[in-house]
Amino acid sequence: MSGAYYEKIARINLSTGEIKVEKLDLELAHKFIGGRGLGTKILYDEGVATVDPLSPENKLIYITGPMTGANAPSTGRYMVVTKSPLTGMIACSNSGGIWGAKLKYAGWDAIIVEGEAPKWTYINIEDDKIELLDAQEYLGMMSEAMDTALKEKHGAEASVLNIGPAGEKKVLMAAIMNDKDRAAGRSGVGAVMGSKKLKAIVVKASRRNLDNIADVDALKAATKRAMDVLMANPVTSSGLRQLGTAILVNIINNVGSLPTRNWQESYFEKAEDISGEALAEKYLVKAGACYRCPIACGRIINVNGHITGGPEYEPLWAYGANCGNNDLNVIDECNMLCNEYGLDAISVPCTIAAAMELYQRGAIKEEDCAGVPLEWGSTKALVEWTKRIGNPETELDWLMSSGSARLCEHYGMPEISMSVKKQEMPAYDARGIQGIGITYATSNRGGCHVRGYMISPEVLGLPQQLDRTATDDKAVWAKTFQDLTAVIDSMGHCLFTSFAMGAQEYTDLLNAATGTNHSVEEVLEIGDRIYNIERMFNKAAGMKPEDDRLPKRLLEEPIANGPSKGMVSQLPLTLPQYYEARGWVNAFPTDETLKKLGLDECVGK
Amino acid sequence: MIEVRLFATLRQGREKSIMLDSKEFPTAKDVLDHLDILPGEVSILLVNGFHKTPEAQLEDGDVVALFPPVGGG
Ligand code: SF4
C-alpha cells in the first residue's frame, strides 16, 4: 500500500511530444511530504535553479499532496512549482477548486511539463490516458470562456485549468486559473505556462475518492477530530462562511495597518465602503467552497447581473485603499477582469498603485498614459490599466505588465515599488504589525502573506494574542509559522484550516493517510527542511543576502496617519534573531543546519 | 465622548457606530454591557487601534472597535 500516493508522475516534454510515466520515489515523498516540498526538491535536484524561467529549460510541476482529494477537511488543493519569471527564484502557487483532487483521482501525484510546444497545445488527461491536443482555436480566449468551451468538448465532469490572454503573452504577473475562478495566482506561474505554449490541462477521473489510504479507520478518526476542532472554533465554523476574508478590511484599517495610496498612508478614511460588510450587503449571493471544504470562505457575488467569484480581502485592499479607490463595484469588476485575463489580483493592482505614485511624482506623464491618466482613485484607470496589463501593446503597457519593481526601476525610483524579491507585498503594513515583516522579508517566493501568516496571532488572536508592536518573540513565531505552513501546503490542505487546527491534527491526518509514524516534532522538522530546500534553490538561482529586505519606506518613513502613526518596521532588530532561530548565517543555512535537516546534497553548495 | 464602532455580526440590531459619554463608561466592559454584548461574542476588542481586554479603562476621545470571531488571509 503506497499510502495516499499513487506513486505515478507523468513527465511531458512538449518540445518532442514524449510522455513518460515515472515512479514516485516514496522515500523522498515521505521526506518532503509532497506538493510544495516535493516539487521544490525535484526542481532543485534537476538543476532548474539556474535556467532562464521563460526558456524551454524551465520545468513546470503541477503537484498534489498526499491529502489532496482525501476524505478530510479542505483537501481540494494542488500547487504549481516552477522557477518564477517575476522573482527569478522559487515559485509555488497554491490553488483550490476541484482540479487538484481530480488529477489525483486520475491516479497522478504530479505532472512535470518540460520544453516548449511547436504550436499551442493543451493536455487532456482521462485516468491513465494522457494526450496532447491542438489549442490553436482557443488562442486569445478569456479564461472563463475557455473553461466552458473545453467542458463542452470533454464533458461536464471534466475539470479545466488554463491560462488567459496574460499567460499567452508571458506577462510576468500572469496566473494559472482553474475551475473558473480559482487561481494559482502568484509569482507569474501563468507566464511559464505561456512560454511553453501550453494553454490548458483538462482532467477527467473515474475515481471519486482515494482508494489507497494507508489506514482508513485511523483517517476517519483523525478527520473526526479535525472536524470537531474546526466546528468548535467560531472562525472556521461560521466566521469565514458568513463574511469571507473581506472582513479584514475593517479590522486591519482599525489597527492602522491598511496600506493606502501605495503605502504612503496606513489608514483609509473610506475603508467602510470597500469592506466585507459592504460586500455582503450589496453583492453577496452566497458563500462558496472548494472541494471538501467545510469552511467555505469563498464569495459568490452578482456583478452587474453576472454571477461570479467575488474578491478576497487582498484585491479589495489592493484595488481599493492601495489605489485610493472606494468604489466597490469597480473592485468587483477588476477582480473579475483578473480572473478573465488570468492575472495575479494582488500584484497587478499593486503595480497600478506604484504607477499612480510615479504619476503623482511626475515620473509618468499624462501624455504617456494613452488617454487614461493614472490618478489616485480613478476607476477608469483601474479598469483600463488592468485590461492593458492583461493584454499589453504599448511600451508603457509592457512595462506595467512586468510588475512594480521593474516599472519603478525604469523610472529611477526603485523604492516606490512596495515589493520584496520583486513580488508585491500584500495587505498588511509591516510597520504596524512587526512579525509579518519578518515573514515578508524572508519569504522564499518574495512579498507574500501566506508563507507565515503572522496576522493570526498578532491581530486575530489565534492561537493566542501577541502584541503587534513587540519584537522580542516574533522571530521564533515567524519561523514556526513558516515551517507549519510548508507542511500544510505540502500535504494538500488549505492553510485556512490552521485558524483552528494545530500541528497535532495535521500529524495525525498525515500518518493515517500515508502510513508514516511521524511525531509532531518530526513533522515540523519536515517543514523546516522544505523551507531550507527552497532557500537553497534561491541561493543556486543567485539570491543575495540583501534580497531578504523590506522596502526602505517601511524602515525609514514612519506611518503617516491613523492609530499606528509614527511606527516603523524593526526588521534590522528581528532579522538577526530570525537567522539565529533558523541556523542561518547571512541569509543561508550553514552546513551544520543542512546536515541536521538531512539535506546533505546541499552541503557546500 | 467615546466612539464605539461595531463590525460584522455585532451590527445586527445595532448601529454601526455610537457615541457615548465617557463619564458613564469607565471601562470597555461597561460599553459591552450597555450594548448587550456578551464578552464571548467579541474576539477582537481594540481601543485606539490596540488590543485590550474588557477591563481596559476608557478615556475621553477613545475609539473602541469591536469584532466577532473572524479570520482571513
Ligand atoms: S477555506 Fe476557502 S480557500 Fe480554503 S479550501 Fe475552503 S473555500 Fe477554499
Side-chain angles (χ1 to χ4, degrees), chain A residues 74 77 96 182 288-290 293 295-298 494 496:
Chain A
S74 315
R77 316 289 305 188
R182 288 281 151 184
C290 300
C293 179
I295 303 172
C297 77
C494 178
F496 285 7

Side-chain angles (χ1 to χ4, degrees), chain A residues 234-235 240 242-245 247-248 250-251 254-255 267 272 277 428 449 453 458-459 465 468-469 499 563, chain B residues 5-9 11-12 16 40 43-44 46 48-51 63-65 67-73:
Chain A
V235 172
L240 279 163
Q242 276 170 3
L243 297 150
T245 59
I247 190 65
L248 284 167
N250 272 327
I251 301 179
N254 271 274
V255 295
Y267 182 80
E272 184 65 37
E277 286 88 342
Y428 312 89
H449 58 300
Y453 189 63
E458 294 189 283
V459 178
Q465 187 70 56
R468 65 186 171 88
T469 67
F499 285 123
Chain B
R5 298 177 185 171
L6 299 172
F7 296 96
T9 45
R11 284 181 179 174
Q12 284 161 14
K16 286 183 189 172
S43 81
I44 301 176
L46 303 173
N48 304 327
F50 292 91
H51 294 77
V63 177
V64 178
F67 296 88
V70 284

